[in-house]
Amino acid sequence: MDRPAAIFSDTVNLNGTVTQLSLLADGRLWWPEGGQRNLSIEKEVLGFTGDGPDIRLKTIVETEDGCCGGASRAKLVRNDVVFRPSSEETHRLWCQKLGEFIDSLGRPKRLFVFVNPFGGTKSAVIVFRDQVKPLLEDAQVQLTVQETKHQLHAKQVVQSLDFSKYDGIVCVSGDGILVEVVNGLLQRQDWDTAIKMPLGVVPAGTGNGMAKSLLDSVGDPCTVPNAVLAIIRGRKRKLDVATITQGETRFFSVLMLAWGLVADIDIESEKYRWMGSARIDFYALTRILHLRHYIGCLYFVPAPGFEAYGDPTSYPGSSNNKGSNSELIDEEPLKLQRLGYQGPEIDLENQSWRVLNGPFISVWLHNVAWGAENTKAAPDAKFSDGYLDLIITKNCPKLPLLSLMSDLNNGGHVKSPYVMYLKVWSSLCLKFNTFSCFDLFAQDMLLCVS
């Protein structure tokens, strides 16, 4: 196959060998000698330095990692490629051409980074120091780093952050810090501008559902190098955000909301956080062996094609609620913040509401496919389809429930006869003698995520 035209070409000394090096129009560096004959600037070149007579390319390349005779797997490895141009003038031109091409890719140059030292196995500080920071420095990204000191710290910082100084926000953590950041953005007075700030997620917590969902959607494994590389490349996709009201509290969600078994496992296993992600599996078994049932009614507006689920009903909220969710079932006005996003303008009464009655074992609302690295809770979920995926488990004996939970790693649980899986536009759960509930969950807007 013919090579694209060369933007620039020079005779260089590359790793001790004199050869012709060309920058091609498709963004590849090509040379005829040596084991590796080309590099994709977009995919493999993080940055470069031009001090002294040499130019040093900071690259990340995929290699096969075979272990103990097992099957090999792809692994990203940092590597420097050094070449010496033929003259000072060509050295200057190489730096100019490489810089112009990298700039044309729209990569972020200044990032604000949250590091959560308390999440998961409390390894985020080490992950940032040993894996994240070196890659971002190779890409010549200016970093402002903030370790979170307490719960909601990231939310507080974001509410007053000067966005003119940054091209994005990165969360080196599990999913909790990302949720704090989203809520901080939407509670700013300039929320409509703030939500355009790209967000990046590096998996360093217990669940890492958002990082897994983002990377899996492009066929990449959920690893720190892959997540950082996606951030460096500046790839973005839109993401639905859900408004939730519970009593007099409003907050926003981008991942999931759970009621029943899954919520209890997540909350009650906190005392085993020292176990890392294993705490979820351990406590799930404990909770299934001592299974609870949850009495309540689930109201929802089905997405097109899912109208057969549940029974038709009227809107269960107050009769005069039109245009906002400022009033709930008990007709008490919500104490709303006057700054920030106030929720979607929706006529909730004139919707095709349906209802499912309990008892339930688990109710799960998902915005993305993965709830954790090993939990593909909503295999059909899309990032910005305007719907939420609702997964309901009812009337399931313990042994089938154990089997069902074991299928969560590949999404096979949704095929169980004890599971209902559908897409909804909005849903509302009324609480009757339960320990946890959600009141309103409605898709409303979009957020950009790297």
Side-chain angles (χ1 to χ4, degrees):
M1 185 175 65
D2 294 337
R3 295 196 312 274
I7 297 174
F8 184 67
S9 188
D10 183 28
T11 301
V12 304
N13 188 313
L14 191 152
N15 294 332
T17 301
V18 176
T19 185
Q20 192 75 14
L21 179 64
S22 300
L23 172 60
L24 304 182
D26 64 357
R28 285 184 298 138
L29 287 167
W30 182 90
W31 62 96
E33 304 293 337
Q36 182 173 324
R37 294 172 179 262
N38 66 78
L39 280 170
S40 168
I41 295 179
E42 180 180 7
K43 295 181 179 179
E44 297 173 302
V45 177
L46 302 176
F48 69 94
T49 59
D51 298 333
D54 296 333
I55 292 177
R56 183 177 298 270
L57 301 173
K58 300 288 186 176
T59 74
I60 185 165
V61 295
E62 194 173 89
T63 63
E64 295 296 325
D65 181 24
C67 179
C68 303
S72 61
R73 58 180 181 177
K75 180 181 179 181
L76 292 175
V77 178
R78 294 169 65 210
N79 181 51
D80 287 0
V81 176
V82 181
F83 68 93
R84 179 170 294 184
S86 59
S87 67
E88 290 184 5
E89 176 61 16
T90 56
H91 185 286
R92 183 189 66 79
L93 288 172
W94 270 116
C95 291
Q96 176 185 329
K97 297 298 183 182
L98 289 170
E100 288 174 350
F101 193 92
I102 291 174
D103 287 344
S104 72
L105 299 175
R107 293 178 175 179
K109 299 179 182 298
R110 306 161 302 165
L111 293 175
F112 190 96
V113 182
F114 285 108
V115 179
N116 178 18
F118 306 106
T121 56
K122 302 182 179 180
S123 60
V125 173
I126 297 173
V127 168
F128 174 75
R129 182 193 67 201
D130 295 347
Q131 299 186 64
V132 180
K133 186 178 180 182
L135 288 172
L136 293 175
E137 288 181 339
D138 281 354
Q140 298 172 314
V141 177
Q142 298 176 23
L143 303 178
T144 301
V145 182
Q146 173 68 65
E147 287 190 23
T148 54
K149 306 298 183 185
H150 51 78
Q151 191 175 22
L152 301 182
H153 186 199
K155 177 183 174 182
Q156 294 167 1
V157 171
V158 165
Q159 286 177 320
S160 60
L161 197 64
D162 183 357
F163 290 154
S164 67
K165 297 180 179 179
Y166 307 104
D167 301 318
I169 299 172
V170 174
C171 304
V172 183
S173 66
D175 297 307
I177 297 300
L178 174 65
V179 173
E180 286 191 26
V181 169
V182 170
N183 278 268
L185 292 174
L186 288 169
Q187 290 179 10
R188 290 172 60 110
Q189 188 171 11
D190 62 344
W191 65 268
D192 52 343
T193 300
I195 61 169
K196 298 175 184 178
M197 174 65 67
L199 306 180
V201 188
V202 177
T206 300
N208 306 314
M210 183 60 73
K212 174 69 174 183
S213 298
L214 288 166
L215 291 168
D216 186 65
S217 70
V218 293
D220 289 339
C222 185
T223 65
V224 171
N226 277 295
V228 179
L229 187 55
I231 293 167
I232 290 171
R233 290 173 179 169
R235 294 178 175 177
K236 305 178 185 72
R237 67 164 68 239
K238 292 182 177 180
L239 177 68
D240 289 337
V241 179
T243 300
I244 305 167
T245 55
Q246 184 172 1
E248 295 186 346
T249 303
R250 168 183 288 138
F251 57 98
F252 305 96
S253 174
V254 291
L255 188 70
M256 68 170 184
L257 193 70
W259 177 48
L261 175 63
V262 174
D264 287 353
I265 292 170
D266 189 27
I267 294 170
E268 295 174 10
S269 67
E270 279 292 316
K271 55 181 172 287
Y272 303 108
R273 182 168 281 277
W274 56 269
M275 297 175 65
S277 58
R279 71 179 172 94
I280 301 296
D281 296 332
F282 166 75
Y283 202 76
L285 179 61
T286 302
R287 205 51 294 128
I288 291 172
L289 293 176
H290 302 86
L291 193 61
R292 300 167 180 163
H293 291 81
Y294 303 81
I295 309 301
C297 300
L298 181 67
Y299 295 81
F300 60 93
V301 177
F306 297 93
E307 295 87 354
Y309 289 88
D311 299 315
T313 187
S314 59
Y315 172 58
S318 59
S319 60
N320 61 347
N321 187 350
K322 294 183 179 181
S324 73
N325 53 5
S326 61
E327 292 183 330
L328 297 180
I329 298 165
D330 59 5
E331 300 188 7
E332 288 294 325
L334 198 65
K335 294 179 181 178
L336 301 178
Q337 297 183 35
R338 293 305 156 199
L339 298 179
Y341 179 57
Q342 295 298 304
E345 292 293 324
I346 300 172
D347 184 357
L348 292 174
E349 286 187 48
N350 296 317
Q351 304 294 332
S352 301
W353 287 92
R354 301 186 75 83
V355 62
L356 284 167
N357 295 308
F360 302 98
I361 291 175
S362 176
V363 176
W364 228 346
L365 272 168
H366 255 263
N367 193 36
V368 296
W370 294 83
E373 287 188 61
N374 59 354
T375 306
K376 195 173 187 179
D380 295 337
K382 308 298 181 186
F383 288 98
S384 58
D385 63 354
Y387 300 107
L388 299 165
D389 285 39
L390 177 60
I391 309 102
I392 303 168
T393 305
K394 296 179 65 177
N395 306 319
C396 186
K398 292 180 181 179
L399 284 179
L401 184 57
L402 281 170
S403 175
L404 185 156
M405 297 294 280
S406 68
D407 286 335
L408 281 170
N409 63 342
N410 58 21
H413 63 291
V414 300
K415 300 177 182 178
S416 168
Y418 302 104
V419 174
M420 282 184 281
Y421 181 37
L422 62 150
K423 287 182 178 289
V424 298
W425 175 75
S426 64
S427 59
L428 185 119
C429 177
L430 304 182
K431 182 173 82 171
F432 295 103
N433 300 321
T434 57
F435 295 102
S436 59
C437 78
F438 50 89
D439 292 316
L440 181 68
F441 203 114
Q443 187 277 332
D444 48 63
M445 54 184 296
L446 298 175
L447 183 73
C448 292
V449 178
S450 295

